[in-house]
Amino acid sequence: AQSVAQPEDQVNVAEGNPLTVKCTYSVSGNPYLFWYVQYPNRGLQFLLKYITGDNLVKGSYGFEAEFNKSQTSFHLKKPSALVSDSALYFCAVSSGGYNKLIFGAGTRLAVHP
Amino acid sequence: GAVVSQHPSRVICKSGTSVKIECRSLDFQATTMFWYRQFPKQSLMLMATSNEGSKATYEQGVEKDKFLINHASLTLSTLTVTSAHPEDSSFYICSARLPRDRATEAFFGQGTRLTVV
């Protein structure tokens, strides 16, 4: 069975500092990995994905993520955090023939001025 | 990116009544849509996979008769919460992926906040 773990409920970072939101996964076969962001009472917005190719993936709003097969991780990163980045972040994995996404528990990012 | 529209964004209903939530793919045909439920400060729980022209596939523990899903066209899936009770109050989100391409990201509706009083 596939699963996603986001070990941190919340990440706090000062504005201008780099941020990392952690994600590890378990899936049979090749993983398709995604990051989404959710603002209060809204649906999810796509940030970036890893399907194949370069392990470092660049996405929206200056975010990037690094796929590490040996560590089964797909951590989200940003070199310089903004207060407006404060939101709920979800990592997700897809595998199998049904195209469904399995989400992690989510990590709340709080960026302080 | 593709657009998924969900309606209504917020609904309050009385206990015992039924509520219908619509999910539309506006600029693409979605043979498959997904319905999620999200509790406060929790992750998204996949409820069911909605397949156009056939019966929905429900996840374990989700009551089929409680949460009726209809996917009558390639652009519309509906979720009906029947005989709603306060414990059904939640945030419901639909999503769709482009057909025959499992590598694409999912596109999400804006969600529906259901409150049963």
Side-chain angles (χ1 to χ4, degrees):
Chain A
Q2 58 196 67
S3 64
V4 177
Q6 292 181 243
E8 303 153 315
D9 290 337
Q10 180 154 331
V11 169
N12 297 300
V13 64
E15 187 175 29
N17 284 1
L19 69 87
T20 299
V21 182
K22 296 180 180 178
C23 171
T24 58
Y25 66 90
S26 174
V27 67
S28 57
N30 294 322
Y32 295 76
L33 296 157
F34 305 83
W35 275 102
Y36 287 86
V37 60
Q38 185 182 32
Y39 295 96
N41 292 311
R42 301 294 300 274
L44 273 67
Q45 297 178 29
F46 169 77
L47 282 179
L48 50 80
K49 65 182 177 184
Y50 172 82
I51 306 301
T52 187
D54 291 340
N55 289 342
L56 184 63
V57 178
K58 294 187 182 297
S60 306
Y61 312 119
F63 284 94
E64 58 188 30
E66 186 168 11
F67 171 63
N68 188 316
K69 188 174 183 178
S70 62
Q71 296 184 5
T72 62
S73 66
F74 189 56
H75 301 331
L76 181 70
K77 299 181 180 183
K78 186 173 182 180
S80 179
L82 299 172
V83 173
S84 58
D85 292 330
S86 299
L88 188 57
Y89 290 80
F90 289 101
C91 181
V93 66
S94 174
S95 185
Y98 296 100
N99 292 354
K100 61 183 179 182
L101 288 177
I102 300 301
F103 285 86
T107 298
R108 187 163 301 279
L109 174 66
V111 182
H112 305 286
Chain B
V3 178
V4 175
S5 177
Q6 190 172 340
H7 179 79
S9 58
R10 188 179 295 269
V11 60
I12 300 173
C13 71
K14 292 184 177 181
S15 187
T17 62
S18 295
V19 174
K20 180 184 286 187
I21 302 170
E22 293 187 347
C23 181
R24 296 180 183 272
S25 55
L26 296 185
D27 51 0
F28 67 101
Q29 294 182 332
T31 55
T32 302
M33 291 186 177
F34 305 91
W35 287 95
Y36 292 85
R37 181 174 179 177
Q38 186 179 29
F39 294 97
K41 300 183 179 181
Q42 293 191 29
S43 186
L44 284 75
M45 180 192 78
L46 180 64
M47 298 174 65
T49 302
S50 167
N51 302 298
E52 188 270 334
S54 63
K55 291 183 178 180
T57 303
Y58 288 82
E59 296 298 305
Q60 191 172 7
V62 178
E63 298 177 60
K64 301 178 183 181
D65 296 332
K66 175 76 172 172
F67 299 99
L68 299 179
I69 291 174
N70 183 278
H71 195 156
S73 77
L74 288 171
T75 59
L76 174 63
S77 175
T78 60
L79 167 67
T80 301
V81 182
T82 62
S83 187
H85 288 95
E87 57 264 31
D88 298 325
S89 298
S90 192
F91 194 59
Y92 294 87
I93 309 176
C94 71
S95 77
R97 296 180 77 171
L98 296 172
R100 294 185 298 277
D101 185 351
R102 61 194 286 264
T104 64
E105 63 272 27
F107 302 99
F108 285 82
Q110 57 267 55
T112 297
R113 171 73 59 192
L114 171 63
T115 303
V116 184
V117 298

